[in-house]
């Protein structure tokens, strides 16, 4: 019932943007996307440690707000000063098609809902601050009900910060328009 596709093109040889997904023992699917502040080896190392901590905590429990809060406090204690991470972490249940998520200061991710003959975008907006930036403020878990044929689109800021030859950024408005057009005009949805 679930298909995941992804791509990552770092700005340099290594970077701090990441995405990951994996099945949990109960058949649910963990979905992660994030962006560690900064570039280079320091950001990449924090990203690797961060993903390992998330994977471990997600296999042990599914209270996303508590997981985000614990990792927030850990990162604040152990990461080099000034490094923080925006994060979207979700748990998708393929049987009920519900997505529970925490968005820790990351860009709004999108659910492309195709029901009722009209495509619409649901923004999965921030439910807390970036991990490690202002520790201890807590997180809220949100939930969205999806239907057959709906799509999730997760991304980092590099997508809309991409510039054309004239130096104009692609921007979030163009991204949303493109997603609506592709989802509406293509039976299989965005690829």
């Amino acid at each position: 019932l679930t298909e995941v596709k992804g791509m990552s093109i770092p700005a340099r040889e290594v970077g701090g943007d990441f995405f990951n997904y994996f099945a949990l023992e109960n058949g649910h699917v963990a979905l992660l996307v994030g962006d560690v502040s900064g570039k280079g080896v320091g950001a990449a190392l924090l990203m690797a440690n961060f993903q390992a901590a998330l994977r471990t905590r997600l296999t042990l429990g599914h209270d996303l707000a508590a997981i985000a809060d614990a990792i927030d406090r850990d990162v604040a204690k152990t990461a080099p000063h000034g490094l923080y991470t925006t994060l979207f972490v979700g748990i998708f249940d393929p049987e009920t098609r519900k997505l529970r998520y925490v968005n820790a200061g990351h860009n709004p991710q999108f659910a492309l809902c195709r029901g009722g003959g009209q495509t619409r975008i649901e923004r999965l907006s921030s439910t807390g601050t970036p991990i490690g930036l202002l520790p201890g403020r807590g997180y809220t878990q949100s939930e969205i009900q999806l239907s057959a044929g709906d799509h999730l689109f997760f991304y980092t800021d590099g997508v809309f910060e991409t510039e054309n030859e004239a130096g104009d950024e692609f921007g979030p408005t163009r991204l949303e328009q493109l997603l609506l057009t592709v989802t509406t005009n293509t039976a299989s949805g965005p690829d």
Side-chain angles (χ1 to χ4, degrees):
L1 294 174
T2 306
E3 181 180 0
V4 179
K5 297 179 182 183
M7 177 174 52
S8 178
I9 303 170
R12 297 185 182 157
E13 291 80 24
V14 293
D17 290 14
F18 64 90
F19 73 94
N20 201 347
Y21 60 93
F22 49 91
L24 298 170
E25 287 183 16
N26 61 1
H28 295 180
V29 180
L31 303 163
L32 313 171
V33 64
D35 186 357
V36 176
S37 64
K39 303 274 186 251
V41 175
L45 288 173
L46 181 57
M47 178 265 296
N49 288 335
F50 189 76
Q51 283 196 77
L54 267 171
R55 188 178 191 108
T56 299
R57 289 181 188 273
L58 284 168
T59 57
L60 297 175
H62 298 200
D63 181 346
L64 298 178
I67 289 170
D69 187 60
I71 290 176
D72 178 47
R73 293 171 192 272
D74 288 348
V75 167
K77 289 178 193 169
T78 60
H81 183 69
L83 283 182
Y84 60 88
T85 302
T86 64
L87 169 71
F88 181 95
V89 56
I91 302 289
F92 179 69
D93 181 341
E95 288 186 27
T96 65
R97 292 188 172 101
K98 285 186 180 176
L99 173 72
R100 296 179 296 115
Y101 66 92
V102 166
N103 183 337
H106 200 66
N107 303 307
Q109 304 301 281
F110 302 124
L112 305 165
C113 303
R114 301 173 84 170
Q118 182 178 347
T119 302
R120 71 183 192 292
I121 290 183
E122 294 283 333
R123 288 168 194 81
L124 310 178
S125 297
S126 183
T127 63
T129 60
I131 302 288
L133 183 63
L134 300 166
R137 294 191 176 210
Y139 297 89
T140 302
Q141 177 178 289
S142 292
E143 184 177 287
I144 185 171
Q145 179 66 55
L146 300 168
S147 299
D150 289 351
H151 297 273
L152 296 170
F153 184 83
F154 297 160
Y155 65 100
T156 62
D157 56 7
V159 169
F160 58 77
E161 289 177 352
T162 300
E163 296 180 355
N164 63 16
E165 294 80 22
D168 300 323
E169 284 190 354
F170 187 67
T173 302
R174 285 187 190 149
L175 175 60
E176 287 188 37
Q177 290 171 344
L178 177 63
L179 289 171
L180 279 173
T181 300
V182 169
T183 305
T184 301
N185 298 334
T186 310
S188 62
D191 186 3

